[in-house]
Coordinates of all heavy atoms in Angstrom, one line a residue:
M1 N 85.9 49.8 -23.6 CA 85.1 49.3 -24.7 C 84.1 48.3 -24.2 O 82.9 48.2 -24.7 CB 86.0 48.6 -25.7 CG 85.3 48.0 -26.9 SD 86.5 47.4 -28.1 CE 85.3 46.6 -29.3
D2 N 84.5 47.4 -23.2 CA 83.5 46.4 -22.8 C 82.5 47.0 -21.8 O 81.4 46.4 -21.7 CB 84.3 45.3 -22.1 CG 85.1 44.5 -23.1 OD1 84.7 44.5 -24.3 OD2 86.1 43.8 -22.8
L3 N 82.8 48.1 -21.2 CA 81.7 48.8 -20.4 C 80.6 49.3 -21.3 O 79.5 49.2 -21.0 CB 82.3 49.9 -19.6 CG 83.1 49.6 -18.3 CD1 83.6 50.8 -17.7 CD2 82.2 48.8 -17.3
V4 N 81.0 49.8 -22.5 CA 80.1 50.2 -23.5 C 79.2 49.0 -23.9 O 78.0 49.1 -24.1 CB 80.7 50.8 -24.7 CG1 79.7 51.1 -25.8 CG2 81.5 52.0 -24.4
S5 N 79.9 47.8 -24.0 CA 79.1 46.6 -24.4 C 78.3 46.0 -23.4 O 77.4 45.2 -23.7 CB 80.2 45.5 -24.9 OG 80.9 46.0 -26.0
T6 N 78.4 46.4 -22.1 CA 77.6 45.9 -21.0 C 76.7 46.9 -20.5 O 75.5 46.9 -20.7 CB 78.5 45.3 -19.9 OG1 79.5 46.2 -19.5 CG2 79.2 44.0 -20.4
V7 N 77.3 47.9 -19.8 CA 76.5 49.0 -19.3 C 75.8 49.8 -20.4 O 74.6 50.1 -20.3 CB 77.3 50.0 -18.4 CG1 76.5 51.1 -17.9 CG2 78.0 49.2 -17.3
G8 N 76.5 50.2 -21.4 CA 76.0 51.0 -22.5 C 74.9 50.3 -23.2 O 73.8 50.9 -23.6
E9 N 75.1 49.0 -23.6 CA 74.1 48.2 -24.3 C 72.8 48.1 -23.4 O 71.7 48.3 -23.9 CB 74.6 46.8 -24.6 CG 75.5 46.7 -25.8 CD 74.8 46.9 -27.1 OE1 73.6 46.6 -27.2 OE2 75.4 47.4 -28.1
S10 N 72.9 47.8 -22.2 CA 71.8 47.6 -21.3 C 70.9 48.9 -21.2 O 69.7 48.8 -21.3 CB 72.2 47.2 -19.9 OG 72.9 46.0 -19.9
A11 N 71.6 50.0 -21.1 CA 70.8 51.3 -21.0 C 70.1 51.6 -22.4 O 69.0 52.0 -22.4 CB 71.8 52.4 -20.6
A12 N 70.8 51.4 -23.5 CA 70.3 51.8 -24.8 C 69.1 50.9 -25.2 O 68.2 51.3 -25.9 CB 71.4 51.7 -25.8
L13 N 69.1 49.6 -24.7 CA 68.0 48.7 -25.0 C 66.8 48.9 -24.2 O 65.7 48.4 -24.6 CB 68.5 47.3 -24.8 CG 69.6 46.8 -25.9 CD1 70.3 45.5 -25.4 CD2 68.9 46.5 -27.2
G14 N 66.9 49.6 -23.1 CA 65.7 49.9 -22.3 C 65.7 49.1 -21.0 O 64.6 49.1 -20.3
A15 N 66.8 48.6 -20.5 CA 66.8 48.0 -19.2 C 66.7 49.0 -18.1 O 67.0 50.2 -18.3 CB 68.1 47.2 -19.0
S16 N 66.1 48.6 -16.9 CA 65.9 49.6 -15.8 C 67.2 49.8 -15.1 O 67.3 50.8 -14.3 CB 64.9 49.0 -14.9 OG 63.6 49.0 -15.5
G17 N 68.2 48.9 -15.2 CA 69.5 49.2 -14.5 C 70.4 48.0 -14.7 O 70.1 47.0 -15.3
I18 N 71.6 48.2 -14.1 CA 72.6 47.2 -14.2 C 73.1 46.9 -12.7 O 73.2 47.8 -11.9 CB 73.8 47.5 -15.1 CG1 74.6 46.3 -15.4 CG2 74.6 48.7 -14.5 CD1 75.4 46.4 -16.7
V19 N 73.3 45.6 -12.4 CA 73.8 45.2 -11.1 C 75.2 44.7 -11.2 O 75.5 43.8 -12.0 CB 72.9 44.1 -10.5 CG1 73.4 43.7 -9.1 CG2 71.4 44.6 -10.4
M20 N 76.1 45.4 -10.6 CA 77.6 45.0 -10.7 C 77.8 44.1 -9.5 O 78.0 44.5 -8.3 CB 78.5 46.2 -10.6 CG 78.2 47.2 -11.8 SD 78.4 46.4 -13.5 CE 80.1 46.1 -13.6
W21 N 77.9 42.8 -9.8 CA 78.1 41.8 -8.7 C 79.5 41.4 -8.5 O 80.4 41.5 -9.4 CB 77.3 40.5 -9.1 CG 77.3 39.4 -8.1 CD1 76.5 39.3 -7.0 CD2 78.3 38.3 -8.1 NE1 76.9 38.1 -6.4 CE2 77.9 37.5 -7.0 CE3 79.3 38.0 -8.9 CZ2 78.6 36.4 -6.6 CZ3 80.0 36.8 -8.6 CH2 79.7 36.0 -7.5
G22 N 79.8 41.0 -7.3 CA 81.1 40.5 -7.0 C 81.1 39.4 -5.9 O 80.2 39.4 -5.1
G23 N 82.0 38.4 -6.0 CA 82.0 37.4 -5.0 C 83.0 37.6 -3.8 O 83.7 38.6 -3.9
T24 N 83.0 36.8 -2.9 CA 83.8 37.0 -1.7 C 85.3 36.9 -2.0 O 86.2 37.5 -1.3 CB 83.5 35.9 -0.6 OG1 83.7 34.6 -1.2 CG2 82.1 36.0 -0.1
K25 N 85.7 36.3 -3.1 CA 87.2 36.1 -3.4 C 87.6 37.3 -4.3 O 88.8 37.4 -4.6 CB 87.4 34.8 -4.1 CG 87.2 33.6 -3.3 CD 87.4 32.3 -4.1 CE 87.1 31.1 -3.2 NZ 87.3 29.8 -4.0
D26 N 86.7 38.2 -4.7 CA 87.1 39.2 -5.7 C 87.9 40.3 -5.1 O 88.9 40.8 -5.7 CB 85.9 39.8 -6.4 CG 85.2 38.8 -7.3 OD1 85.8 37.8 -7.7 OD2 84.0 39.1 -7.7
Y27 N 87.5 40.7 -3.9 CA 88.2 41.9 -3.2 C 88.5 41.6 -1.8 O 88.0 42.2 -0.9 CB 87.3 43.1 -3.3 CG 86.6 43.3 -4.7 CD1 85.2 43.1 -4.9 CD2 87.4 43.6 -5.8 CE1 84.7 43.2 -6.1 CE2 86.8 43.7 -7.1 CZ 85.5 43.5 -7.2 OH 84.9 43.6 -8.5
N28 N 89.4 40.6 -1.6 CA 89.7 40.1 -0.2 C 91.1 40.3 0.2 O 91.6 39.7 1.1 CB 89.3 38.7 -0.1 CG 90.1 37.8 -1.0 OD1 90.9 38.2 -1.8 ND2 89.9 36.5 -0.9
N29 N 91.9 41.2 -0.5 CA 93.2 41.5 -0.1 C 93.6 42.9 -0.6 O 92.8 43.6 -1.3 CB 94.2 40.5 -0.7 CG 94.2 40.5 -2.2 OD1 94.6 41.4 -2.9 ND2 93.7 39.4 -2.8
K30 N 94.7 43.4 -0.1 CA 95.1 44.8 -0.3 C 95.2 45.1 -1.8 O 94.7 46.2 -2.3 CB 96.4 45.1 0.4 CG 96.8 46.6 0.4 CD 98.0 46.9 1.2 CE 98.4 48.4 1.1 NZ 99.6 48.6 2.0
A31 N 95.9 44.3 -2.5 CA 96.1 44.5 -4.0 C 94.8 44.6 -4.7 O 94.6 45.5 -5.6 CB 97.0 43.4 -4.6
A32 N 93.9 43.7 -4.4 CA 92.6 43.6 -5.1 C 91.8 44.9 -4.8 O 91.1 45.5 -5.7 CB 91.8 42.4 -4.7
C33 N 91.8 45.3 -3.5 CA 91.1 46.5 -3.1 C 91.6 47.8 -3.8 O 90.9 48.6 -4.2 CB 91.1 46.6 -1.6 SG 90.0 45.4 -0.8
Q34 N 92.9 47.9 -3.8 CA 93.6 49.0 -4.5 C 93.2 49.1 -6.0 O 93.0 50.1 -6.5 CB 95.1 49.0 -4.2 CG 95.5 49.4 -2.8 CD 97.0 49.3 -2.6 OE1 97.7 48.6 -3.3 NE2 97.5 50.1 -1.6
A35 N 93.3 47.9 -6.6 CA 93.0 47.8 -8.0 C 91.5 48.3 -8.3 O 91.2 49.0 -9.2 CB 93.2 46.4 -8.6
L36 N 90.6 47.8 -7.4 CA 89.2 48.2 -7.6 C 89.0 49.7 -7.3 O 88.3 50.3 -8.1 CB 88.3 47.4 -6.5 CG 86.9 47.8 -6.5 CD1 86.2 47.6 -7.8 CD2 86.1 47.1 -5.3

């Protein structure tokens, strides 16, 4: 539902794209990488 509210909204409004950002602490261990 929230992807519709972010990615979907941006596309429907006329944005050129969406950038999915992440920090160094987001995916720095096995559990986080598997979840991603």
Side-chain angles (χ1 to χ4, degrees):
M1 179 177 175
D2 290 336
L3 283 178
V4 175
S5 296
T6 51
V7 178
E9 281 289 332
S10 299
L13 288 165
S16 294
I18 195 152
V19 180
M20 300 305 288
W21 181 87
T24 53
K25 295 179 182 178
D26 289 345
Y27 315 112
N28 63 356
N29 59 66
K30 186 176 181 181
C33 289
Q34 286 178 333
L36 174 62

